[in-house]
């Protein structure tokens, strides 16, 4: 029963949809104080520790001669798509706020990132103080690993919850070499090992369910925990922009902005290719789990991807980002004649589907062979790279989907995450 519950929790998190609306509303970025700066400026190289006006962020070192008039974060980022976090810059510190750290959270989580070698600001008792740039990090989810790769800071990774499901070759090789430890998760987390590693930050997600959340136990041990709520962002570009959230802890805003910006341009160009295309194939997603068919909400992450890919998602008119809890009959009544069926979960073949429920053969998509799964890049332990690198590469996911729905538009594209189910 515990394994079933965990699997169900994963389904809900991976859809990017919450059961209930967040208790804390998503707000616009707070207006900066008088000494804060929000505009991004081009940056050059400067010797770290210099008293002259900084021309680049300190990504490997501390201020040696503090001058309160100097802006130590000339390389800034502007959050454009993500709705779950904000960044406010001041001369020697930045305030990063996770507006809804988990569904139902009663308060935001604030992190004051202080440039090392400068004094921490006063009046921040409700926030977690972190000296930046951090030198070491523990990642409690594979979804944070691609961000470390994008800003070239995999070297800072000292531990993960488990290496079984990691798809990144760079991370896997460090685990195999003994350079990255495994500390477990949930009630089985090895707090003593975490303390021994002395990481600057442990980054983890939260569900609001005490039986699964690891952060209270780690915080009680005096460890610095940062809550990452990337999965709650409801758009592909918004979720991908959480690479910027990770980058702020390393002062690697410039690297993150360059990577994200290129990806966002690719995504927009792909969307434009099919914006006015006709006809648009009808599509539905997923398979039932324990008798319930979890269908993505009409205003959520998956619905947006399908629309951007030129498909007609059959539940696109449902309000909100919340997952829909449906039964087989309800889905069949709507999707029996759908053109395409995607993301069938643990089933590796059409025979596997039939073995689970012979009624699947009655769907038109099954009969025509237009069934696709997102498991092309799955490791021997079941770790699926679609949920790892795909989270920060929605342009590649979108290209896959356009190939599914409109193969004539991208004739030379080879699937990255998807494959036809045979």
């Amino acid at each position: 029963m515990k394994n079933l519950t965990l699997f169900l929790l994963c389904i809900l998190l991976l859809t990017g949809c919450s059961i209930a609306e967040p208790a804390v509303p998503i707000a616009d970025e707070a207006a900066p104080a008088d000494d804060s700066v929000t505009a991004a400026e081009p940056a050059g190289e400067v010797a770290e520790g210099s008293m002259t006006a900084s021309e680049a962020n300190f990504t490997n070192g501390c201020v040696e001669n503090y001058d309160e008039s100097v802006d130590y974060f000339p390389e800034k980022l502007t959050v454009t798509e993500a709705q779950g976090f904000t960044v406010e810059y001041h001369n020697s510190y930045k305030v990063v706020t996770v507006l809804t750290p988990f569904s139902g959270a009663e308060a935001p989580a604030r992190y004051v990132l202080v440039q090392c070698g400068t004094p921490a600001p006063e009046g921040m008792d409700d926030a977690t103080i972190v000296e930046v740039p951090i030198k070491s990090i523990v990642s409690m989810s594979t979804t944070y690993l691609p961000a470390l790769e994008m800003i070239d800071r995999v070297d800072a990774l000292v531990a993960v919850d488990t290496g079984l499901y990691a798809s990144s070759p760079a991370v896997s090789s460090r685990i195999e070499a003994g350079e990255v430890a495994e500390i477990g998760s949930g009630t089985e987390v090895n707090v003593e090992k975490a303390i021994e590693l002395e990481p600057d930050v442990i980054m983890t997600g939260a569900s609001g369910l005490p039986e699964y959340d690891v952060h209270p136990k780690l915080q009680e041990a005096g460890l610095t925990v940062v809550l990452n709520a990337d999965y709650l962002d409801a758009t592909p570009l918004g979720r991908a922009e959480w690479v910027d959230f990770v980058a702020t802890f390393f002062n690697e805003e410039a690297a993150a902005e360059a990577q994200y910006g290129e990806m966002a341009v690719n995504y927009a160009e792909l969307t434009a290719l099919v914006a006015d295309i006709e006809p648009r194939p009808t599509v539905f997603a997923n398979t039932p789990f324990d008798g319930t068919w979890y269908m993505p909400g009409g205003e959520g992450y998956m619905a947006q991807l399908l629309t951007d890919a030129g498909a007609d998602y059959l539940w696109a008119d449902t309000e909100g980002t919340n997952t829909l809890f449906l039964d087989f009959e309800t889905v069949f009544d709507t999707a029996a004649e759908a053109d395409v069926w995607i993301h069938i979960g643990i089933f590796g073949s059409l025979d596997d589907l039939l073995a689970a429920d012979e009624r699947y053969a009655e769907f038109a998509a099954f009969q025509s062979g237009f069934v696709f799964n997102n498991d092309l890049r799955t490791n021997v332990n079941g770790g699926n790279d679609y949920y790892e690198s795909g989270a920060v590469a929605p342009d590649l996911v979108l290209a896959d989907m356009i190939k599914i729905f409109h193969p004539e538009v991208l004739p030379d594209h080879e699937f990255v995450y998807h494959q036809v189910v045979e």
Side-chain angles (χ1 to χ4, degrees):
M1 180 61 69
K2 179 179 179 182
N3 289 337
L4 290 178
T5 306
L6 281 169
F7 185 74
L8 176 57
L9 179 63
C10 290
I11 290 176
L12 294 178
L13 296 184
L14 291 174
T15 61
C17 306
S18 56
I19 297 175
E21 290 295 329
V24 180
I26 303 301
D28 293 333
E29 275 195 66
D34 290 343
D35 65 338
S36 65
V37 185
T38 57
E41 298 289 346
E45 296 296 326
V46 63
E48 293 189 344
S50 169
M51 280 189 63
T52 59
S54 294
E55 296 179 8
N57 288 3
F58 286 63
T59 58
N60 184 28
C62 298
V63 172
E64 295 178 1
N65 300 290
Y66 171 59
D67 182 343
E68 66 179 6
S69 68
V70 172
D71 176 10
Y72 292 104
F73 304 114
E75 297 171 316
K76 297 175 174 61
L77 57 82
T78 301
V79 181
T80 58
E81 298 292 336
Q83 297 296 303
F85 75 96
T86 62
V87 183
E88 178 186 303
Y89 287 91
H90 301 259
N91 279 358
S92 60
Y93 67 95
K94 43 195 169 182
V95 181
V96 179
T97 304
V98 179
L99 300 173
T100 307
F102 52 87
S103 180
E106 296 180 354
R110 285 211 306 166
Y111 305 96
V112 177
L113 312 187
V114 181
Q115 172 60 51
C116 64
T118 72
E122 298 180 355
M124 298 289 184
D125 296 339
D126 63 335
T128 299
I129 307 296
V130 181
E131 279 200 345
V132 294
I134 63 172
K135 303 179 185 67
S136 58
I137 186 171
V138 174
S139 174
M140 300 297 285
S141 171
T142 57
T143 60
Y144 317 145
L145 302 179
L148 297 179
E149 288 197 86
M150 290 173 72
I151 62 174
D152 196 23
R153 292 313 310 267
V154 174
D155 63 304
L157 184 67
V158 296
V160 293
D161 53 346
T162 174
L164 290 175
Y165 308 115
S167 297
S168 164
V171 172
S172 295
S173 63
R174 283 177 54 80
I175 294 173
E176 292 171 3
E179 297 170 341
V180 173
E182 298 175 282
I183 64 170
S185 60
T187 57
E188 299 177 359
V189 66
N190 189 335
V191 177
E192 291 74 19
K193 182 65 175 179
I195 294 172
E196 178 184 328
L197 293 168
E198 298 183 327
D200 292 332
V201 159
I202 298 178
M203 189 166 289
T204 186
S207 66
L209 302 175
E211 61 267 37
Y212 300 120
D213 286 341
V214 69
H215 64 279
K217 193 172 183 179
L218 296 170
Q219 289 170 328
E220 288 172 6
L223 294 160
T224 300
V225 178
V226 171
L227 297 181
N228 184 318
D230 54 1
Y231 73 95
L232 286 178
D233 244 283
T235 67
L237 290 178
R239 189 175 298 186
E241 199 169 18
W242 281 77
V243 64
D244 286 354
F245 175 81
V246 176
T248 60
F249 291 85
F250 293 92
N251 288 348
E252 291 282 6
E253 282 92 332
E257 284 282 84
Q259 294 278 347
Y260 176 79
E262 180 179 353
M263 181 279 302
V265 168
N266 292 341
Y267 191 97
E269 291 176 348
L270 287 166
T271 302
L273 290 177
V274 295
D276 300 315
I277 200 166
E278 293 292 346
R280 298 168 69 89
T282 52
V283 60
F284 68 109
N286 300 347
T287 50
F289 176 77
D290 201 21
T292 300
W293 201 309
Y294 298 90
M295 195 69 68
E299 297 177 348
Y301 175 87
M302 184 53 58
Q304 183 70 61
L305 267 172
L306 295 173
T307 298
D308 289 346
D312 181 8
Y313 177 48
L314 293 175
W315 278 268
D317 60 350
T318 58
E319 296 182 357
T321 62
N322 297 342
T323 301
L324 307 175
F325 304 98
L326 309 176
D327 56 32
F328 184 98
E329 290 73 20
T330 299
V331 173
F332 188 78
D333 286 346
T334 301
E337 299 302 320
D339 298 308
V340 183
W341 183 3
I342 65 167
H343 300 178
I344 62 170
I346 62 174
F347 303 106
S349 69
L350 297 180
D351 287 341
D352 290 341
L353 277 173
L354 289 181
D357 193 326
E358 292 183 353
R359 293 178 296 175
Y360 292 141
E362 299 176 27
F363 285 97
F366 183 100
Q367 296 169 10
S368 62
F370 280 90
V371 182
F372 294 83
N373 211 357
N374 55 2
D375 59 353
L376 181 58
R377 298 171 67 165
T378 302
N379 69 21
V380 295
N381 299 308
N384 189 340
D385 196 32
Y386 172 86
Y387 299 109
E388 185 172 320
S389 69
V392 294
D395 55 333
L396 298 181
V397 175
L398 182 62
D400 272 9
M401 290 188 170
I402 292 175
K403 182 73 172 184
I404 291 172
F405 303 129
H406 304 285
E408 74 283 358
V409 174
L410 296 176
D412 298 325
H413 176 73
E414 295 184 2
F415 285 127
V416 179
Y417 302 106
H418 293 81
Q419 61 183 337
V420 65
V421 180
E422 299 177 342

